[in-house]
Amino acid sequence: MVNVNKRQAFLTKEYVLLTPETNWYPVAGLNYYPSNPAQIKIDFTNYSLKVKNENNLVPVSQGIMSKIDGYYIFKPESPLTGLTLAIGNYETDKIKVDSVEYISYHFPGNDYYKKDLKALKDTLPLLISGLMKDLESNFSTKYPFKTLSLLEVPVQFHSYPKESTQTRAEVQPSMVLLPERLSTLNQAGFFKQFMQQKKRMTRNGQVITDKELQVRIFNSFMRSTFISGENFRFINGIAANEPTRYLLGPSFYFFKNNFYSSEYPVINAIFESHLQKVNSPGTSGFQAMSGTLSENDRANLILKNQSFKDLLVKNPGGDTLKNVLTIKGDYFFNLLRSKTGIDEFKDWFTKYIDDHRFKRVDILKFNDEIKNKFSFEFYPFLYDWFNGKEQPGFLFTNLVANEIVINERSRYQVTFVASNQETTGGLFNVSFRTGGGRGGGGSGRGGGGFGGSGFGGGGGTFQIAGQGRGQISVQGRGMEAADISKIVYLGPHETKRVGIVLDAQPRAMMINTLFAKNIPGEITLPIDEIIKSKDATREFSGEEIVSSDPPDTDQFSIIVDNEDAGFKVTRQNTENKLKKLLGIQNKNGTTYQQVSMMSIPTYWQPVVQSAFYGKYVRSAVYTKSGKGDKSLTWIAAIDKPGYYDIFCFIGKSADRMMIRAGGFGGGARTGGAQGPGGAGGTGKDVNRSPLQPYKEFHYRIYHEGGSEEISLDYENAENGWNKLGTYYLTADTAKVVLSNLSTGRAVIGDAIKWIRQK
């Protein structure tokens, strides 16, 4: 291992590198505010730079370069947020594609990539054009500069994260600072990749030309470096996912636009996080597998008992601020879309930011122009958005999907009821998993959530093929918002019936509650049945207010969830002598995570998933299976003696899916009914593996005659409420205990329900 000292600037006789972050030139006013780390002052300045070089070194900066009387003169063609200067022994390559000139500044002998990718020489302009068009389509705006310089800098150069912006110093206006010989970038060993892939394809009998393979390698490197790359790293044993430092997102907003507010100084950071589609560490499928919550859920837990303003005053560290900026930005923009229309806002706002590029825009002016165009003022909403501590809480019932005929054409109408029972308003996004052929089937009967016992239940979930559990959290981020079917706003204590008409058959409905009490905020609900109406069905697309909320439960049932006071966890009392000697205490699960079979805890860990039961928090607790030395207890008060049916809630989701040769497909092998798409496909069924996560669960039922142990086979259990038996209970207390005894890898407990027989 080589220890490379990190440096933010270089100032020697042989080499100079100065970025705006080093404050190497005077600026008008502060650009960092300790009392409000999310505030940043951005100025678009018309720079000019005059450089005198020595030792025949080459100066590099933004703008058109000319040489007058021994001086290098740089004049940028547009106002910039900052100016970068490098002076070194640089060689230059240039290529102009469409209206942009791409310039490579590299040290002698470091252009090895030209030899390794020599077959691309004739097609390079076409490849670059395609990549830039993808970027412009992704951000719904044109690249704003006439040049893009790729500047090689010493490998010691390093930037540190900023509290005021998610933009790093490696990306500057019309310039990217790349490490020496691309040494720290993934996939930069082009020749090695070429030989490895060539050998692998030969073994597999695949035929591909050298040029086609080099095109693949080049595109993969460019996309992972500049468009969508991620870095996986481990911090204290937990996997973190950080976007690469060279993503070109800032060129499409931060270096192009700026919105400011005297009352809400955080506003530009909000615009930046949303429009640049910035994801905080931990939103990938791999991260979800490791047990970390989505950024939506982490932000909502952070804001559970404090306002956005209060949080900023505390000057939070780590990813706390980034997570909250992200969710607040997504909420703000989806509020605008909910009032103006998704497509209407995109078309108008895309033109607006292009018309106002390289300008600072007061948020009050922006509010007036929104009002003039859409007859809606968002500014009054910002007070609660910034200062309010309350969160909405959403409940969903009565999901129904009908196949209807409109103008002699079959279409699909989805209706459901949404309720906000809290004292503050809020909104949620709705999108759908649709498609033909054999997709994944929804498994089992939904319990409680839709068509079950009231609003609180969990119901079954549906894993979108090819997507990780963190994917729903980016619904509606950026200007495109094409992944949203509808945005619904609910005022305090308001209930609406919502109708959406689709062209394609829906297989699952995905809800993102954004800023709300709902944990998880990403709720995926299967559509198990499409009702084909024999009679004419009136088309309903839109929203209508429902006068009253349905009751949560009926008078004959009692439900105790793991979030309720009647739920108890017994702790393991055994002591490890070595831990005692070293002063190490046993861990206890105190914060929510997602289920991770990569590292099953030895203690009862609270986990959240939309498959689980719950009102706002759909949670359960799980632990590594053992010998029965740990247990969960549900206790309910019985007012009336009698015979009671006793149920446990089993929430099943992605763990029920089969991994097949052609991707994900199929529904549950046993248990509940399969949803649209059925059990198509062939391949290996991971559920048959001896490493099955869940097998049998051992419940002990307490009743008037004593107690009885019931073993529930998880594999054959229904998705939702499962009957454990019928027992006579006196007007005392009812109790159910679940131990960690099991031959599976883990045991999970959720909710218990007692229903008195009528």
Side-chain angles (χ1 to χ4, degrees), residues 299-338:
N300 277 310
L301 290 173
I302 291 168
L303 294 171
K304 186 176 181 180
N305 297 309
Q306 62 184 329
S307 69
F308 191 12
K309 180 180 179 180
D310 292 340
L311 176 69
L312 293 174
V313 171
K314 296 178 180 178
N315 196 0
D319 296 318
T320 296
L321 183 58
K322 292 188 177 81
N323 289 334
V324 175
L325 286 173
T326 298
I327 195 172
K328 284 293 187 176
D330 293 350
Y331 182 91
F332 173 77
F333 274 88
N334 284 292
L335 173 66
L336 297 180
R337 295 186 182 104
S338 71

Side-chain angles (χ1 to χ4, degrees), residues 315-563:
N315 196 0
D319 296 318
T320 296
L321 183 58
K322 292 188 177 81
N323 289 334
V324 175
L325 286 173
T326 298
I327 195 172
K328 284 293 187 176
D330 293 350
Y331 182 91
F332 173 77
F333 274 88
N334 284 292
L335 173 66
L336 297 180
R337 295 186 182 104
S338 71
K339 302 296 184 180
T340 62
I342 297 173
D343 294 332
E344 292 81 358
F345 178 77
K346 176 199 168 185
D347 294 341
W348 179 84
F349 188 66
T350 299
K351 183 177 184 302
Y352 186 88
I353 62 171
D354 282 340
D355 291 343
H356 292 78
R357 62 174 154 180
F358 310 128
K359 297 178 182 178
R360 300 183 72 224
V361 178
D362 192 322
I363 200 70
L364 288 170
K365 177 185 176 183
F366 183 60
N367 177 74
D368 291 341
E369 296 184 1
I370 288 278
K371 180 182 178 181
N372 293 335
K373 177 64 178 179
F374 298 105
S375 301
F376 161 69
E377 287 190 86
F378 66 82
Y379 200 79
F381 286 84
L382 291 183
Y383 182 84
D384 286 339
W385 172 85
F386 191 63
N387 298 284
K389 296 182 180 180
E390 299 300 321
Q391 294 175 309
F394 300 110
L395 305 174
F396 305 96
T397 59
N398 302 339
L399 174 64
V400 178
N402 292 88
E403 183 178 352
I404 62 176
V405 178
I406 302 175
N407 297 326
E408 299 182 353
R409 177 185 173 189
S410 292
R411 301 187 74 185
Y412 300 90
Q413 177 175 281
V414 177
T415 61
F416 63 96
V417 174
S419 174
N420 173 22
Q421 297 188 338
E422 300 303 311
T423 58
T424 188
L427 56 83
F428 57 88
N429 296 338
V430 181
S431 60
F432 290 91
R433 161 75 161 95
T434 62
R438 295 188 180 273
S443 62
R445 298 180 305 178
F450 285 93
S453 59
F455 279 179
T461 68
F462 188 98
Q463 185 78 355
I464 307 171
Q467 294 191 9
R469 281 178 284 180
Q471 291 294 320
I472 303 175
S473 65
V474 297
Q475 279 182 8
R477 186 165 304 159
M479 281 189 285
E480 188 64 27
D483 51 354
I484 300 177
S485 297
K486 191 172 183 60
I487 304 171
V488 180
Y489 183 87
L490 292 178
H493 302 292
E494 187 172 58
T495 301
K496 290 182 179 179
R497 179 172 176 261
V498 180
I500 302 171
V501 176
L502 305 171
D503 292 327
Q505 179 177 333
R507 301 190 180 280
M509 184 172 77
M510 288 87 72
I511 296 171
N512 184 359
T513 60
L514 297 170
F515 175 68
K517 291 185 175 183
N518 298 79
I519 304 291
E522 302 93 355
I523 302 170
T524 305
L525 296 150
I527 297 177
D528 295 328
E529 180 183 8
I530 305 292
I531 301 173
K532 294 186 177 182
S533 304
K534 297 181 179 179
D535 302 326
T537 301
R538 181 178 67 87
E539 179 185 356
F540 172 56
S541 179
E543 306 168 15
E544 61 181 14
I545 295 178
V546 178
S547 58
S548 61
D549 299 337
D552 289 343
T553 57
D554 61 59
Q555 59 179 329
F556 295 97
S557 67
I558 302 170
I559 298 176
V560 176
D561 189 22
N562 61 288
E563 298 288 332

Side-chain angles (χ1 to χ4, degrees), residues 24-164:
W24 67 281
Y25 54 85
V27 294
L30 297 173
N31 59 6
Y32 178 68
Y33 301 83
S35 63
N36 191 341
Q39 179 179 354
I40 184 171
K41 185 177 184 294
I42 298 296
D43 289 310
F44 292 101
T45 304
N46 290 306
Y47 289 98
S48 64
L49 178 63
K50 189 176 183 180
V51 181
K52 178 72 173 179
N53 70 321
E54 295 181 356
N55 303 325
N56 294 320
L57 299 179
V58 177
V60 180
S61 189
Q62 289 98 337
I64 299 174
M65 183 183 70
S66 59
K67 193 171 182 180
I68 303 175
D69 298 331
Y71 287 89
Y72 288 86
I73 309 297
F74 294 90
K75 291 187 177 180
E77 297 175 283
S78 59
L80 304 177
T81 59
L83 200 65
T84 297
L85 173 64
I87 304 175
N89 186 24
Y90 281 112
E91 295 179 350
T92 305
D93 287 319
K94 298 182 180 181
I95 183 173
K96 189 167 185 178
V97 180
D98 300 325
S99 60
V100 179
E101 185 174 42
Y102 299 86
I103 310 172
S104 168
Y105 294 98
H106 55 270
F107 300 124
N110 287 0
D111 54 348
Y112 67 92
Y113 43 81
K114 290 195 289 187
K115 180 183 68 174
D116 294 348
L117 300 173
K118 60 184 178 181
L120 304 183
K121 184 176 181 181
D122 295 335
T123 58
L124 190 59
L126 184 62
L127 295 175
I128 293 174
S129 178
L131 291 166
M132 183 57 75
K133 287 178 180 177
D134 284 350
L135 272 166
E136 292 177 338
S137 175
N138 192 32
F139 292 102
S140 298
T141 186
K142 292 288 186 181
Y143 178 72
F145 305 107
K146 294 184 179 180
T147 62
L148 177 57
S149 298
L150 304 178
L151 177 67
E152 184 179 13
V153 299
V155 71
Q156 293 96 332
F157 177 76
H158 178 83
S159 73
Y160 291 91
K162 308 172 188 176
E163 296 292 346
S164 54

